[in-house]
């Protein structure tokens, strides 16, 4: 989707760029001659009136742009994963009667059998990031797994098995 | 005491007093202009004290003040903006001129000041103060508002119109014969047109003689060029103010930005001297008798200015509250009105014109910002919201 940006000259001051969001809100950025910016928000029902204007010097403007740019980039990558690469992240709850209860993580042979990586285990309030194959699985563990749709589905089945 | 010693004492005390007056103005949220003028009136002809020794110094300072005011105004605009605005807002500029200059002209005739007085007063009531209005817009956080570009283009059109009005006025006030006057006006208008054309066309090359990186030579050089051109312009009756304005327009890019940044404090000093000097030379004893006519003129032309802003905002599709804001913010008159009145008096016009112009500017520049703030109050907003939009 393209966003329309409108530029309005402000003689003697600089110029103002406006965007209208999908929600219908107007956001403006005033670029002054000396390089400082104002980020301007408009009233919902009256797009003529600026309700808030935040002055940013060039460093602050850079920082804010970086922030917005970064999150836009992360969103972009997540988008790519879902759409074209077929890679998914899922939270799998270890079933109460799973045969892997109190067994090391390696016993699931998740990576060899399904190609899925367990990137973290959520236990209680804590997180075990990048768990080793020796990590013992406990009751109510949540496994954060990354893999293809098929791999994740078969891992779920493996974990659900309750008999040897 | 040696004369220069007296000048140091007088000017020093005066500047100190202006600084205090300026602080007081800032606390009230007002422009310092009326306060500077009032200080001038207190110490001038018929005032409490008189500053005779430093008068020549202040007079020169006030001339430099006009040059700097107009130079800085010119620096704010790029030639591209001026031409773009001329195409877009020519009609708004014309309404503005008709609505606001005619009441002044009629007033001048009614006061019995003749054709010259009518022309002077037309200029005094026509032009809003770019400085005061721009400051108000910034202070009130209105730069992002949708009516603001319309307000700014009215200011640009007025400033551009002044580049032609002032030379014509200075040719008329010297009171030449009809033929001689016509020739002077023609020369003046032609040279302004030519310089404007050169500025738009070759501005980049003119800017190249200065180095924006080297502050010291930049400040001295730009000020020197502005004063030189202002002086040359004055010798051919184009008025020094216009010469300086055109120099400001001709300079562009980095040079213009740097000059604007570093010359602003210098401008502030000499502009203060300009306003105080106008106050000094205005006879304070005439103010009471000028009050009633100036007040009447102010009421009429504040209304016509309001209408100008209202129409300009309506033209670009701004809703009712925005039109109201645009109308009110344009009310203050300032530096141009004073420059015009000062020019007329120096050329020998009735000194009562200066008293009326001073009183008139004091009224509009004080009442304008107050009305602007009132217009933003929640009560007025609610009242507007309750009325159906037209």
């Amino acid at each position: 989707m393209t966003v329309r940006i409108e530029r309005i000259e402000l003689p003697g001051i600089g110029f103002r760029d406006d965007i209208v969001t999908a929600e219908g809100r107007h956001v403006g950025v005033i670029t002054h001659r000396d390089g400082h910016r104002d980020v301007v928000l408009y009233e919902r029902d009256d797009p003529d009136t600026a309700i808030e204007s935040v002055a940013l010097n060039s460093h602050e403007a850079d920082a804010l742009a970086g922030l917005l740019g970064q999150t836009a980039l992360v969103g972009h990558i997540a988008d790519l994963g879902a759409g074209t690469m077929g890679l998914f992240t899922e939270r799998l709850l270890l079933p109460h009667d799973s045969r892997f209860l109190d067994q090391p993580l390696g016993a699931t042979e998740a990576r060899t059998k399904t190609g899925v990586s367990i990137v973290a285990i959520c236990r209680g309030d804590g997180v075990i990031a990048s768990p080793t194959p020796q990590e013992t699985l406990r009751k109510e563990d949540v496994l954060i797994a990354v893999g293809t749709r098929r791999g994740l589905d078969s891992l779920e089945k493996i974990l659900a098995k309750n008999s040897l | 005491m040696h004369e220069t010693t007296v000048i140091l004492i007088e000017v020093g005390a005066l500047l100190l007093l202006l600084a205090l007056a300026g602080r007081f103005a800032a606390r009230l949220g007002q422009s310092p202009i009326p306060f500077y003028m009032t200080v001038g009136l207190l110490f001038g002809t018929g005032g409490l004290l008189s500053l005779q020794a430093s008068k020549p110094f202040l007079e020169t300072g006030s001339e430099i003040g006009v040059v700097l005011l107009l130079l800085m105004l010119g620096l704010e605009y790029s030639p591209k903006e001026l031409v773009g605005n001329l195409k877009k807002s020519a009609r708004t500029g014309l309404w503005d001129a008709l609505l606001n200059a005619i009441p002044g002209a009629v007033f001048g005739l009614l006061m019995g000041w003749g054709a010259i007085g009518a022309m002077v007063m037309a200029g005094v009531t026509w032009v809003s103060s770019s400085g005061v209005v721009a400051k108000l817009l910034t202070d009130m956080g209105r730069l992002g508002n949708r009516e603001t570009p319309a307000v700014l283009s009215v200011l640009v059109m007025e400033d551009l119109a002044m580049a032609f009005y002032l030379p014509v006025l200075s040719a008329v006030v010297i009171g030449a014969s009809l033929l001689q006057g016509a020739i002077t006006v023609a020369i003046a208008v032609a040279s302004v047109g030519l310089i404007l054309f050169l500025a738009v066309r070759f501005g980049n090359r003119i800017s190249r003689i200065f180095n924006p990186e080297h502050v010291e030579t930049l400040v001295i050089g730009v000020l020197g060029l502005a004063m030189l051109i202002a002086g040359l312009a004055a010798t051919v009756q184009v008025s020094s103010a216009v010469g300086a304005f055109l120099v400001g327009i001709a300079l562009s890019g980095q040079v213009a930005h740097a000059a604007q940044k570093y010359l602003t404090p210098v401008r502030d000093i000499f502009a203060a001297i300009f306003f105080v000097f106008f106050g000094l030379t205005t006879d304070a004893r005439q103010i009471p008798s000028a009050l009633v006519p100036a007040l009447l003129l102010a009421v009429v032309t504040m209304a016509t200015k309001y209408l100008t802003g209202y129409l300009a905002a309506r033209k670009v599709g701004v809703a009712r509250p925005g039109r109201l804001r645009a109308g009110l913010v344009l009310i203050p008159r300032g530096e141009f009105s004073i420059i015009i009145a000062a020019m007329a008096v120096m050329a020998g016009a009735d000194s009562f014109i200066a008293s009326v112009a001073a009183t008139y500017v004091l009224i509009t520049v004080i009442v304008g910002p107050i009305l602007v703030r009132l217009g933003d109050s929640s009560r007025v907003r609610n009242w507007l919201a309750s009325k159906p939009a037209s």
Side-chain angles (χ1 to χ4, degrees):
Chain A
M1 200 186 99
T2 55
V3 179
R4 206 164 63 97
I5 299 178
E6 202 180 336
R7 174 161 292 188
I8 300 110
E9 294 283 340
L10 299 172
I13 289 162
F15 51 84
R16 190 182 89 219
D17 293 312
D18 275 356
I19 65 166
V20 184
T21 67
E23 263 190 322
R25 296 296 299 264
H26 290 246
V27 180
V29 175
I30 300 171
T31 304
H32 293 256
R33 286 282 170 69
D34 62 6
H36 92 264
R37 314 285 158 101
D38 289 336
V39 175
V40 190
L41 299 178
Y42 294 89
E43 210 144 354
R44 199 177 281 270
D45 346 300
D46 176 11
D48 297 344
T49 315
I51 38 172
E52 196 60 73
S53 147
V54 182
L56 303 172
N57 65 30
S58 54
H59 300 291
E60 291 155 353
D62 261 358
L64 185 63
L67 218 56
L68 290 170
Q70 223 168 52
T71 51
L73 196 67
V74 170
H76 200 59
I77 288 170
D79 223 32
L80 250 169
T84 58
M85 284 162 28
L87 207 60
F88 297 89
T89 309
E90 215 161 68
R91 300 161 65 92
L92 301 171
L93 177 68
L94 190 69
H96 287 278
D97 52 354
S98 170
R99 64 176 168 138
F100 297 110
L101 212 62
D102 301 319
Q103 295 283 318
L105 178 61
T108 58
E109 292 177 278
R111 199 188 296 263
T112 27
K113 282 187 179 160
T114 65
V116 170
S117 294
I118 313 270
V119 294
I121 299 171
C122 302
R123 182 173 296 161
D125 290 335
V127 174
I128 304 157
S130 309
T132 58
Q134 286 75 43
E135 187 67 51
T136 313
L137 295 174
R138 305 280 181 211
K139 213 174 152 183
E140 293 185 343
D141 274 358
V142 174
L143 312 184
I144 310 292
V146 177
T148 58
R149 187 69 266 155
R150 253 172 92 185
L152 285 167
D153 288 347
S154 38
L155 179 63
E156 205 177 349
K157 273 179 206 142
I158 291 171
L159 291 178
K161 274 186 190 161
N162 53 9
S163 61
L164 280 164
Chain B
M1 250 192 301
H2 196 276
E3 184 144 355
T4 35
T5 321
V6 183
I7 293 181
L8 281 181
I9 293 171
E10 284 188 0
V11 174
L14 189 65
L15 287 178
L16 209 56
L17 198 61
L18 291 182
L20 289 175
R23 281 287 293 274
F24 184 58
R27 180 163 295 182
L28 294 180
Q30 281 278 358
S31 154
I33 294 176
F35 293 83
Y36 294 161
M37 283 169 64
T38 309
V39 169
L41 284 170
L42 289 177
F43 292 95
T45 330
L48 300 173
L49 286 162
S50 95
L51 300 170
Q52 280 315 317
S54 44
K55 213 162 180 185
F57 173 81
L58 291 175
E59 185 168 4
T60 314
S62 133
E63 269 295 307
I64 298 175
V66 174
V67 167
L68 277 165
L69 273 169
L70 272 290
L71 169 71
M72 299 301 283
L73 190 64
L75 284 175
E76 278 181 18
Y77 305 129
S78 67
K80 206 185 82 200
E81 280 174 348
L82 285 183
V83 176
N85 241 285
L86 192 60
K87 284 180 188 155
K88 232 175 31 198
S89 321
R91 188 176 293 193
T92 310
L94 197 65
W95 289 338
D96 179 36
L98 293 176
L99 280 171
N100 296 291
I102 290 178
V106 171
F107 176 85
L109 289 175
L110 287 178
M111 295 294 286
W113 292 331
I116 293 176
M119 196 173 161
V120 171
M121 290 314 291
V124 169
T125 57
W126 177 3
V127 192
S128 299
S129 166
S130 307
V132 175
V133 175
K135 181 88 181 9
L136 266 176
L137 288 174
T138 311
D139 289 352
M140 306 284 293
R142 287 196 188 166
L143 291 181
N145 285 14
R146 210 144 65 93
E147 79 275 7
T148 297
V151 171
L152 292 173
S153 50
V154 169
L155 296 178
V156 177
M157 290 305 295
E158 286 176 355
D159 297 339
L160 199 56
M162 282 302 107
F164 292 94
Y165 168 87
L166 287 178
V168 172
L169 180 71
S170 67
V172 169
V173 288
I174 50 168
S177 72
L178 201 60
L179 178 69
Q180 210 185 342
I183 293 170
T184 324
V185 167
I187 292 174
V189 171
S191 39
V192 170
L194 180 73
I195 299 176
L196 209 53
F197 172 77
L198 290 177
V200 172
R201 209 62 191 275
F202 303 108
N204 288 337
R205 263 183 239 180
I206 301 169
S207 305
R208 237 173 274 161
I209 41 178
F210 299 106
N211 178 1
E213 307 282 312
H214 203 279
V215 177
E216 192 177 337
T217 54
L218 177 84
V219 169
I220 297 175
V222 172
L223 182 60
L225 181 69
M227 285 171 68
L228 176 69
I229 300 290
L232 289 176
T235 56
V236 292
Q237 305 302 334
V238 176
S239 111
S240 53
V242 173
F245 181 61
L246 295 174
V247 168
I249 289 172
L251 296 175
S252 56
Q254 281 300 101
V255 170
H257 295 179
Q260 205 176 359
K261 184 170 161 195
Y262 297 114
L263 278 172
T264 300
V266 187
R267 189 265 324 261
D268 291 343
I269 297 170
F270 285 98
I273 291 179
F274 165 71
F275 288 115
V276 90
F277 183 74
F278 184 76
L280 283 174
T281 48
T282 304
D283 194 342
R285 286 164 303 192
Q286 289 178 343
I287 297 284
S289 47
L291 195 60
V292 173
L295 199 62
L296 284 174
L297 184 65
V299 169
V300 172
T301 57
M302 286 198 291
T304 53
K305 204 49 141 179
Y306 172 79
L307 190 62
T308 308
Y310 188 94
L311 292 175
R314 196 179 69 174
K315 197 178 149 221
V316 291
V318 171
R320 222 191 163 91
R323 294 179 209 164
L324 176 104
R325 288 192 299 261
L328 292 178
V329 82
L330 281 169
I331 285 175
R333 313 298 206 278
E335 57 276 15
F336 263 120
S337 305
I338 299 296
I339 290 171
I340 292 166
M343 252 174 76
V345 173
M346 239 179 323
D350 192 336
S351 73
F352 194 48
I353 291 183
S355 307
V356 172
T359 317
Y360 171 80
V361 168
L362 284 176
I363 294 169
T364 56
V365 84
I366 291 172
V367 173
I370 293 175
L371 285 177
V372 167
R373 290 193 166 80
L374 273 181
D376 243 20
S377 69
S378 48
R379 255 175 87 183
V380 176
R381 279 175 168 223
N382 292 340
W383 174 73
L384 276 170
S386 67
K387 290 179 79 171
S390 58

